[in-house]
Every structure is written in C-alpha cells, then in structure tokens.
Amino acid sequence: MTKKELICINCPIGCMLEVEMDETGIHSIRGNQCKRGELYAQKELTNPRRTVTSIVPVLNGIEPMVSVKTASDIPKDKILDVMKALKTLVVNAPVSMGQVVLDNVADTHVCVIATKSVDKR
C-alpha cells in the first residue's frame, strides 16, 4: 500500500489530504474537511483534469485580446493540445461573454468560451 499526499484545491481551506492506495484503487482518504476534498483526491489520482485559461487575439475589437477558458475541465494530458489550438485562434469582434469561440477543442468534447465581452471598433 502506498501513501500519497495532496493539497485540495477545491476551496480556500486547502486541506492536506493523505491517500492510501494500491494497484486495486484507493482505500482511504484522510484530512479533508468536506466531501469536495474526498472527490478531489479520487479524481486527481484516477483521472486528473484541469480548466484551461488563456487569451486570444480579436480582430476589429476595441481591445486587442479576449480572455477565454474551457467551459469545463479537460483531461490533464490534453492541455498542450488545447494550447496549440488556441495559439492559432483569432476571433472577430464583437465578442460576448460566454460566447463559444472554439467547439470541441482538441477532441475533448469541450468548447472554449469567452470570459468577457469585447465590442467592435
């Protein structure tokens, strides 16, 4: 049985989690002050996922860039693929907060959305 230590990132408390596991799976999780910590540890050790945030250029906008993020978390091993896709993306103004700017990014079935609005020049 191996022990892993994690710091939960689901809330500001930042609980120090201690997880006991072996090749059959997780056997115990200690140190969490809420249910979210337990769920975080399970997810992080079995299927780690992240939300990706970035910026992309805006053509004809009153601002040159717009902030974007994945609408939900994606597999951690897809982060570089998502960033490569965002590197080539350019959007046209106007852009509305919540607008989908890229659908099914890197074959994750997750879209990328604008996190602010940018009006047209």
Side-chain angles (χ1 to χ4, degrees):
M1 185 117 24
T2 61
K3 288 185 182 182
K4 299 218 179 223
E5 290 184 350
L6 302 169
I7 297 174
C8 180
I9 60 172
N10 274 324
C11 77
I13 295 173
C15 295
M16 182 61 113
L17 308 175
E18 184 177 286
V19 182
E20 289 186 2
M21 60 188 298
D22 64 17
E23 60 279 344
T24 65
I26 296 172
H27 293 279
S28 71
I29 301 170
R30 290 188 287 278
N32 55 301
Q33 294 184 35
C34 67
K35 184 73 175 168
R36 292 189 311 181
E38 183 178 339
L39 295 173
Y40 169 76
Q42 290 172 350
K43 191 172 165 182
E44 185 64 16
L45 294 173
T46 59
N47 183 23
R49 299 175 70 85
R50 298 290 185 271
T51 299
V52 175
T53 61
S54 189
I55 56 174
V56 296
V58 178
L59 292 178
N60 302 312
I62 61 170
E63 296 182 42
M65 306 292 271
V66 66
S67 54
V68 297
K69 72 175 195 119
T70 51
S72 61
D73 52 8
I74 59 155
K76 192 175 174 182
D77 64 355
K78 289 283 197 169
I79 291 173
L80 288 177
D81 295 333
V82 169
M83 294 305 293
K84 284 178 187 173
L86 292 177
K87 186 176 182 178
T88 64
L89 182 64
V90 177
V91 297
N92 290 305
V95 180
S96 300
M97 183 167 49
Q99 176 183 330
V100 174
V101 296
L102 185 59
D103 199 25
N104 189 24
V105 63
D107 294 321
T108 61
H109 304 290
V110 173
C111 58
V112 176
I113 60 172
T115 60
K116 72 179 224 176
S117 296
V118 176
D119 290 329
K120 193 171 186 171
R121 254 191 275 167

